[in-house]
Amino acid sequence: MKQSQFPVDDRMQRLIERYRYLALNKKRELLAANPEFLIYHWSGECEAFAPATGEQAPPANRTISFGDHNCRVDTGKPYPFTDQMPSKTGAFEYSEYNWAVDYAFFLDHSPVVIHPYELIVGEMNWQLEEARLYKYPEECQKLGFEARKLGAGGFSLAHTCPDLGIGISLGWTGLLHKIRRNRAKFVSYGNEPSARYLEASDLVVSAIIRYIGRYADEARKRAADEGDPAQRELYRRIAGNCASLVQGPPQTFEEGILWINFFFVVERMNGHGNGYGRFDQFMYGLYRKGMDDGTLTRERARELIAEQYLKYGASYFSFGGRNEKLEDATNELSWVALEAYDMLGGYNHLGVMWHGDMDPAYFRYACEVVARHGAGTPTLVNYDVLRASELYSGFSEEDAWNVCYSGCQWYCSVGNEYQDQDVNCIVLIQPMQRAMKTCLERNLTDFEAFWAEYDREVNRTADALVALKNAQYRWQHKVWPEMITSTCMHGPLEKGRDVTDFRAVNNNYTSVNVLGVPNVIDSLFAIKELVFDRKLYTMKELQDAIDADWAGREPMRQRFLHAHKFGNDLDDVDAMAVRVSEHIRAVLHEKRNVKGFFFRPSLFQFMGHTYAGPFMGATPDGRHKDDFLAHGMNPMPGRNTEGISATANSLCKVDLRHFQGGSLQIELQPAAAHTMGDLTEYVDQFARAFFGKHGVQVNLNIVDLAELRKAMNDPHNPKYQDIVVKVTGYSAHFVAMDRKLQEEFVSRVNYVGS
Amino acid sequence: MSAPDRLTGTVFNIQRLSTHDGPGLRTTAFLKGCPLSCRWCHNPEGMDPRWENGWDSRKCIGCGDCEAACRMGAVRRRADGGITLSHDLCVRCGACAAACPTGALTGYGRRFTPEQLCAELMKDEAYFSVSGGGVTFSGGEPLAQAAFVARTAGLLKARGVSVALDTCLYVSARAAAMPLPVIDIALVDIKAVDPVLHSRCTGRANERLFSNLSRYVSAARSGLRLFVRTPVVPGYTDGDANIAAIGRYLADLPEGTVEKWELILFHNLCAMKYAELERPWPLEGVGMLARADVARVENAARSSGFEPSRIAVAGLSEKE
């Protein structure tokens, strides 16, 4: 880890060592069942990410690892009580109540794990789908495969942003009281379904309280047996903190951090994915209280936050942004939370939400941290574009101001939306390919006629996705409700409906990642120029060349490859970028889900570009079949030759306020730091200018790709073990990533500065 | 009616987000043609004022389209799959580069009107305003196209853009004076004070440079920001005596005239460009400066009498 201005004491050093051990020994792997999951966000085997163990786990030799990107700590063993799960010893049914009975049993039989030196406890070794059946009915499977044929797919799980402020203020007992009060209300109304849901919710929250109580008991017992005074004191404090959380809401900043960690653990047991909101806002009350009454210091707060970062691996918090009056929301805790990362460096998922009125010193510090650690953390995002995007979709002002960067490249109105961020996909190349075939069959000679076919095919793909999503939505709350997340949302407990159910929260737009957008832009532009305008080639010749992966047609491929490309600030091809992007937005805008909301595109897809090449075949942008696709809305590697600002300008010609994300990925050569002068200043100036043009997000790695190529073949060399990279929107230790993901990463182009 | 304005300039490169060519983030326009012949010239494609082509063997697929496109027979395919460019036959029409499907044959030199170049340079305006940057005219020697540069700089100035001029000042007094009303910053190259050494380095003596510099020194008194840059080239300009002489010259100027004196360390990354142009790289085998040499040069500069806080070293040295 790189040096920072904040010293690390011996206890923290021990915690860092455990964190490194887990990451580098593949104890925190997040798995996908197959490449199709990465391409279409639906594997056809598992309903979401792949369980590591259990009946539904795919064979280990087939899974793909995202790297150390999981809350779950692997023990190498399956869940020991699988056979005793209530749904196995009794009846399995698709219902929230049946799920809750299983969850409560699962949690009651999850071990209490306390490691030496730690103060923030709570560790998850298994997720519920390792023990309970997680499978949608056959009709959904069928629609999934039909959608895939047309270039679409998706799942629904744990990709929203709960409002932890609700839990921090009420505590688990307060939440339980709320559940029971609302249940009594629904019983009195004769609303059996809502009363039944809250009865299930009662089971879940009661189990969580028992779980934390077991930590208190275990810590108390260990304190009594411990000979070392320092360790005994830690156990004593853990016991006291846990006992307090069993009684009510957290009373101190330390208890608040512990509350958050327990929330992560019990919530992530039902699925990987959520963001956790605006930490500097919902924890500020406890921070201020501790600072005012003298029980907390800035150093102590920094250390506690750092411990939580290490404990969880990644925290998905954001800092900054605006408050309800749209003033700068940055406060002292925004600084402390960033300092905690600065103390550690390396792997994390934190965002700083810039806006034009942000304290410039704070944003500059965020840029300094990015420059110092070079691992893409914090992610720099534009709050004003996030909010504008929510408003553009139809969010109310009340919901939109509290928007928060929440995950890879997505954002949520905290506690007020559930819309499948980052888990649905349209592969835009497939409708384009079908349009080319129709063009051939009908002998179309005009680009606009070809475009009309493209429009028709994009609509077909979108319709297939709509059918799949609507089938999933009808079943989701019964198949795999999100009852822990629901406790910290605005609506579910009040309405007696799971957050995944219809209209439980205010906003249910369906988010769709669009894969291959730059490939389609470049392809359509080359087709227009070389086939329709200049008539250098016929569509038949192009189709034949693509079918043959350009074999024997290298000069032809080079002409398609050297047509103007997106990412160079060229108005002609960038106009095609705007047309293609706005088109998919307009198509999705016209589609409705069964919750009554339309579909929203994100010009990003986190991983499909790595694996989709051979599935798609060659493309008219000059790409060979086995080449990677473009990463999100970033140009194909090597095709943007005019530098970072040209690429940023091309991207910003698309009005990103109409979309749900479209991040700019930059891999900067470390040597650039020597030749470009003050790197902090460079990042600060570049990001502010980019955001001024309505850019939405910058993922910035400072990494020598040549070194990473060496690391691929020498992963145990200590020199390479601490290299953390922002892979797409998420980070991972490079040596812990799947080989194919490593290959894609090193194929990117290092910007070297001027 | 007046005759149409035919003023155009030839630019061989536009570098965006440059951090080397003046303060802030800048877009640098490199103008083609230079009166000097610096032995170490890093932009050989900028020496000749005329359009010229270069060939990158790594990109060539041997398709022969360039040969077919050339009506003068100036491009010939070789038996080894490469091509031979006959510059004496070439009429600089650009047909070969236009026909090349891979970009292996590149044309250096694009003509712009002032309005066209201004539009191109304004693309990064958002980055200028945030960083205190702007546009820099470099080369080649931008003042070899002084009227064009002055007109374009005027257009930029009217749009509120900060304009810098990176020049060797080896031009006529009239050309040197032409852009002064519309530039904010001058980056003046001083390679050597001794005219003999200057001539050995650049093929020209330096009286004209110092004569023009006096005008820029005067302009500095009325607001022009003046930076001096010295390329530190092993065996040419890196001698202690030369560095000290430049420092003494600058120290003798009125206090505060020169905002910064930059010592720019030599590198050899331009060798590939010489290969593309089928020209020998005169400094073949000369490596980057050792750290000890950088320290020596820096020490010579700091001991010269010029204000040390205004001295900066830029570029990479050899790893030791």
Side-chain angles (χ1 to χ4, degrees):
Chain A
M1 291 181 183
K2 297 187 183 174
Q3 288 293 317
S4 88
Q5 56 187 312
F6 304 108
V8 168
D9 67 13
D10 181 59
R11 189 181 77 85
M12 189 65 74
Q13 191 56 46
R14 305 273 189 163
L15 298 174
I16 290 170
E17 282 163 16
R18 174 167 167 75
Y19 151 89
R20 288 185 75 245
Y21 165 80
L22 294 176
L24 298 173
N25 289 280
K26 299 184 182 291
K27 303 289 185 190
R28 273 193 152 141
E29 285 189 304
L30 180 66
L31 303 172
N34 53 33
E36 287 87 341
F37 176 76
L38 301 172
I39 300 165
Y40 300 102
H41 296 342
W42 187 74
S43 71
E45 294 184 45
C46 312
E47 295 301 349
F49 296 91
T53 70
E55 294 165 7
Q56 299 166 95
N61 60 355
R62 276 209 290 110
T63 56
I64 297 167
S65 171
F66 288 76
D68 54 320
H69 185 46
N70 207 344
C71 175
R72 177 185 181 277
V73 174
D74 190 51
T75 61
K77 297 173 189 159
Y79 181 65
F81 303 99
T82 303
D83 295 342
Q84 297 167 48
M85 291 289 285
S87 64
K88 292 201 164 69
T89 56
F92 172 88
E93 66 176 42
Y94 286 126
S95 76
E96 290 109 325
Y97 193 86
N98 190 272
W99 187 94
V101 170
D102 261 1
Y103 178 86
F105 176 90
F106 185 84
L107 194 55
D108 283 338
H109 292 79
S110 289
V112 169
V113 185
I114 302 174
H115 296 285
Y117 306 104
E118 67 183 16
L119 180 60
I120 304 303
V121 295
E123 182 170 297
M124 182 246 286
N125 298 134
W126 293 280
Q127 290 177 242
L128 188 59
E129 75 265 33
E130 294 175 77
R132 176 182 166 85
L133 180 67
Y134 181 17
K135 197 76 182 166
Y136 278 84
E138 188 57 33
E139 63 172 291
C140 297
Q141 290 285 110
K142 187 166 163 284
L143 288 167
F145 284 113
E146 283 174 11
R148 182 187 290 178
K149 252 188 272 175
L150 292 172
F155 68 97
S156 286
L157 178 71
H159 269 68
T160 189
C161 183
D163 184 351
L164 298 197
I166 296 173
I168 291 286
S169 61
L170 294 179
W172 293 111
T173 50
L175 289 168
L176 190 60
H177 179 70
K178 182 176 174 182
I179 289 163
R180 288 176 176 169
R181 193 178 64 234
N182 286 337
R183 179 167 175 266
K185 182 181 74 179
F186 286 118
V187 168
S188 75
Y189 296 164
N191 184 339
E192 177 64 23
S194 289
R196 183 73 168 163
Y197 175 79
L198 292 170
E199 193 181 339
S201 188
D202 191 323
L203 293 178
V204 167
V205 173
S206 297
I208 293 168
I209 292 171
R210 287 195 298 276
Y211 179 66
I212 298 170
R214 285 198 285 129
Y215 270 87
D217 294 343
E218 176 65 22
R220 204 175 297 118
K221 183 168 157 297
R222 289 197 196 185
D225 298 340
E226 179 62 49
D228 177 66
Q231 183 60 57
R232 186 166 61 239
E233 173 60 14
L234 284 171
Y235 286 141
R236 198 189 60 72
R237 277 172 61 188
I238 293 167
N241 290 340
C242 290
S244 175
L245 295 187
V246 166
Q247 297 298 317
Q251 299 297 310
T252 65
F253 190 77
E254 184 173 305
E255 288 179 18
I257 295 289
L258 183 62
W259 190 94
I260 291 168
N261 197 62
F262 273 123
F263 185 89
F264 287 174
V265 169
V266 298
E267 186 247 23
R268 290 233 162 185
M269 277 183 189
N270 85 324
H272 168 92
N274 283 336
Y276 295 105
R278 302 176 65 171
F279 177 87
D280 54 349
Q281 307 305 304
F282 69 75
M283 279 294 283
Y284 189 66
L286 286 173
Y287 177 79
R288 195 71 264 155
K289 181 180 165 216
M291 295 294 282
D292 289 347
D293 66 19
T295 57
L296 185 68
T297 63
R298 185 164 174 150
E299 291 70 27
R300 183 80 192 121
R302 185 188 304 130
E303 190 179 296
L304 283 164
I305 299 167
E307 181 172 351
Q308 199 283 318
Y309 291 164
L310 289 169
K311 183 68 186 166
Y312 182 43
S315 299
Y316 288 107
F317 291 135
S318 282
F319 318 126
R322 296 181 187 269
N323 63 20
E324 197 166 3
K325 294 177 186 167
L326 302 182
E327 300 158 336
D328 185 16
T330 307
N331 57 37
E332 190 172 300
L333 188 54
S334 318
W335 285 85
V336 179
L338 205 49
E339 289 165 5
Y341 173 76
D342 196 8
M343 176 191 276
L344 304 171
Y347 174 89
N348 213 321
H349 295 98
L350 305 169
V352 165
M353 299 192 290
W354 175 90
H355 53 82
D357 301 317
M358 173 171 262
D359 174 1
Y362 183 69
F363 189 67
R364 190 178 169 81
Y365 178 53
C367 296
E368 184 184 329
V369 172
V370 170
R372 176 157 40 244
H373 298 283
T377 303
T379 302
L380 306 175
V381 290
N382 185 343
Y383 170 91
D384 286 339
V385 171
L386 306 192
R387 177 171 165 272
S389 158
E390 300 282 68
L391 290 169
Y392 186 83
S393 291
F395 281 61
S396 67
E397 292 273 1
E398 291 74 26
D399 289 351
W401 77 264
N402 203 18
V403 68
C404 177
Y405 167 73
S406 303
C408 292
Q409 53 82 51
W410 50 276
Y411 41 93
C412 283
S413 167
V414 176
N416 280 308
E417 70 176 75
Y418 190 90
Q419 44 196 37
D420 288 353
Q421 314 277 15
D422 217 15
V423 294
N424 301 310
C425 183
I426 281 181
V427 186
L428 206 55
I429 290 169
Q430 287 178 241
M432 178 186 73
Q433 290 171 329
R434 294 196 301 274
M436 287 170 65
K437 289 204 163 65
T438 311
C439 180
L440 255 180
E441 285 161 15
R442 297 191 189 166
N443 198 24
L444 302 176
T445 55
D446 169 54
F447 180 77
E448 291 308 318
F450 170 62
W451 178 272
E453 285 308 315
Y454 170 75
D455 169 61
R456 199 171 68 85
E457 293 297 344
V458 172
N459 269 282
R460 275 183 72 204
T461 301
D463 287 338
L465 178 64
V466 172
L468 170 64
K469 292 312 302 179
N470 283 340
Q472 289 174 341
Y473 287 151
R474 288 189 188 95
W475 282 98
Q476 186 180 2
H477 62 103
K478 292 179 280 191
V479 173
W480 207 261
E482 296 179 27
M483 303 190 71
I484 300 91
T485 303
S486 295
T487 62
C488 286
M489 300 294 287
H490 299 282
L493 296 190
E494 289 80 359
K495 296 174 185 172
R497 281 169 180 261
D498 192 73
V499 68
T500 61
D501 202 349
F502 290 15
R503 304 266 185 169
V505 287
N506 288 349
N507 304 289
N508 288 121
Y509 303 88
T510 301
S511 176
V512 184
N513 291 343
V514 190
L515 175 61
V517 179
N519 298 98
V520 169
I521 293 164
D522 290 346
S523 292
L524 292 181
F525 186 80
I527 289 171
K528 182 175 185 305
E529 181 175 281
L530 298 174
V531 175
F532 291 107
D533 292 351
R534 292 172 61 194
K535 301 190 192 309
L536 282 181
Y537 301 98
T538 65
M539 188 62 92
K540 173 79 169 63
E541 287 170 324
L542 175 59
Q543 189 64 59
D544 289 347
I546 283 172
D547 290 345
D549 195 18
W550 303 99
R553 298 168 175 89
E554 188 57 18
M556 177 182 180
R557 184 181 87 86
Q558 290 290 339
R559 288 204 169 80
F560 280 84
L561 190 60
H562 284 83
H564 281 176
K565 292 287 180 276
F566 173 68
N568 292 298
D569 205 359
L570 298 168
D571 285 340
D572 51 4
V573 66
D574 291 347
M576 184 65 82
V578 172
R579 188 175 186 184
V580 168
S581 306
E582 281 292 332
H583 175 258
I584 184 67
R585 187 198 60 72
V587 167
L588 291 173
H589 192 91
E590 292 303 311
K591 311 297 177 193
R592 292 290 179 276
N593 64 35
V594 285
K595 298 179 181 180
F597 291 80
F598 58 79
F599 286 62
R600 299 172 77 194
S602 163
L603 299 176
F604 189 86
Q605 209 264 25
F606 60 88
M607 202 52 82
H609 63 288
T610 307
Y611 287 86
F615 290 79
M616 297 300 118
T619 41
D621 53 349
R623 207 192 111 263
H624 277 299
K625 170 172 77 73
D626 290 332
D627 291 347
F628 302 117
L629 301 185
H631 176 199
M633 196 58 180
N634 294 280
M636 282 290 285
R639 296 187 192 171
N640 52 330
T641 56
E642 301 302 311
I644 303 172
S645 63
T647 300
N649 287 358
S650 284
L651 178 59
C652 291
K653 286 175 193 170
V654 177
D655 193 336
L656 292 164
R657 293 171 298 183
H658 300 178
F659 296 84
Q660 201 177 27
S663 56
L664 177 67
Q665 183 84 25
I666 298 173
E667 275 71 45
L668 205 58
Q669 239 292 341
H674 299 290
T675 59
M676 291 160 69
D678 184 341
L679 202 51
T680 295
E681 191 167 281
Y682 186 87
V683 174
D684 179 27
Q685 292 171 348
F686 173 80
R688 284 189 290 117
F690 177 61
F691 289 156
K693 295 165 78 73
H694 301 141
V696 65
Q697 178 175 334
V698 182
N699 298 329
L700 194 147
N701 286 301
I702 301 167
V703 61
D704 186 342
L705 296 179
E707 281 293 293
L708 292 189
R709 287 181 200 111
K710 292 180 200 163
M712 286 174 70
N713 297 318
D714 192 11
H716 300 296
N717 188 332
K719 184 177 165 189
Y720 303 127
Q721 295 219 319
D722 283 325
I723 299 177
V724 171
V725 292
K726 191 103 180 163
V727 188
T728 64
Y730 79 94
S731 300
H733 278 82
F734 182 77
V735 295
M737 286 158 52
D738 184 82
R739 182 85 181 175
K740 191 85 176 168
L741 303 185
Q742 290 179 335
E743 285 172 1
E744 186 277 333
F745 197 94
V746 301
S747 78
R748 298 177 188 180
V749 174
N750 253 156
Y751 291 100
V752 294
S754 55
Chain B
M1 278 177 71
S2 60
D5 189 343
R6 295 186 182 278
L7 181 62
T8 58
T10 305
V11 173
F12 68 89
N13 191 19
I14 293 174
Q15 172 81 54
R16 299 165 71 165
L17 289 198
S18 171
T19 54
H20 301 161
D21 300 320
L25 301 175
R26 309 190 76 83
T27 297
T28 305
F30 294 87
L31 286 106
K32 198 155 162 44
C34 182
L36 301 184
S37 303
C38 299
R39 301 283 292 163
W40 57 83
C41 179
H42 280 41
N43 293 322
E45 74 277 35
M47 291 177 169
D48 191 326
R50 300 167 300 174
W51 183 95
E52 59 192 319
N53 53 17
W55 177 65
D56 184 345
S57 62
R58 296 166 304 173
K59 294 181 185 170
C60 183
I61 57 171
C63 66
D65 286 6
C66 51
E67 187 182 48
C70 180
R71 59 193 165 84
M72 303 305 295
V75 184
R76 291 280 181 217
R77 267 200 290 182
R78 299 194 305 254
D80 65 1
I83 62 167
T84 299
L85 302 171
S86 301
H87 296 287
D88 52 335
L89 297 176
C90 179
V91 293
R92 303 172 194 272
C93 67
C96 55
C100 177
T102 69
L105 249 174
T106 308
Y108 291 113
R110 184 176 158 199
R111 295 197 80 77
F112 288 89
T113 64
E115 291 74 19
Q116 287 167 338
L117 184 58
C118 177
E120 190 66 28
L121 299 175
M122 287 296 286
K123 283 182 169 178
D124 280 354
E125 187 188 10
Y127 300 89
F128 306 156
S129 51
V130 159
S131 67
V135 164
T136 300
F137 291 95
S138 183
E141 170 48 58
L143 292 183
Q145 302 182 56
F148 174 74
V149 166
R151 178 84 67 85
T152 312
L155 294 173
L156 290 162
K157 194 82 190 131
R159 287 163 174 76
V161 174
S162 155
V163 179
L165 178 72
D166 176 17
T167 175
C168 70
L169 288 180
Y170 192 85
V171 291
S172 69
R174 185 169 167 273
M178 209 177 285
L180 274 175
V182 284
I183 62 170
D184 304 280
I185 301 160
L187 312 165
V188 177
D189 270 19
I190 302 182
K191 284 103 176 171
V193 173
D194 173 15
V196 176
L197 175 60
H198 194 272
S199 182
R200 185 168 84 83
C201 292
T202 69
R204 305 280 183 177
N206 54 8
E207 291 83 359
R208 194 181 283 189
L209 152 66
F210 286 109
S211 157
N212 285 327
L213 182 58
S214 62
R215 192 183 284 259
Y216 278 60
V217 167
S218 301
R221 284 198 288 275
S222 46
L224 178 72
R225 296 174 68 185
L226 184 59
F227 294 69
V228 169
R229 312 214 290 185
T230 299
V232 182
V233 184
Y236 288 91
T237 62
D238 69 336
D240 290 359
N242 182 48
I243 298 296
I246 297 171
R248 277 195 301 278
Y249 176 86
L250 300 179
D252 287 344
L253 296 175
E255 173 71 25
T257 301
V258 176
E259 189 170 324
K260 196 159 125 187
W261 177 24
E262 277 188 312
L263 301 163
I264 301 171
L265 306 181
F266 169 83
H267 64 72
N268 49 17
L269 300 176
C270 56
M272 188 56 71
K273 291 188 192 174
Y274 281 88
E276 281 181 24
L277 293 162
E278 298 182 323
R279 289 185 209 159
W281 163 224
L283 269 63
E284 181 74 46
V286 177
M288 293 195 297
L289 278 94
R291 283 187 189 171
D293 283 327
V294 175
R296 174 183 55 74
V297 167
E298 197 171 352
N299 188 46
R302 290 184 189 284
S303 316
S304 66
F306 184 74
E307 168 58 46
S309 66
R310 293 176 186 267
I311 297 172
V313 177
L316 295 172
S317 59
E318 195 175 68
K319 283 182 185 169
E320 289 177 342

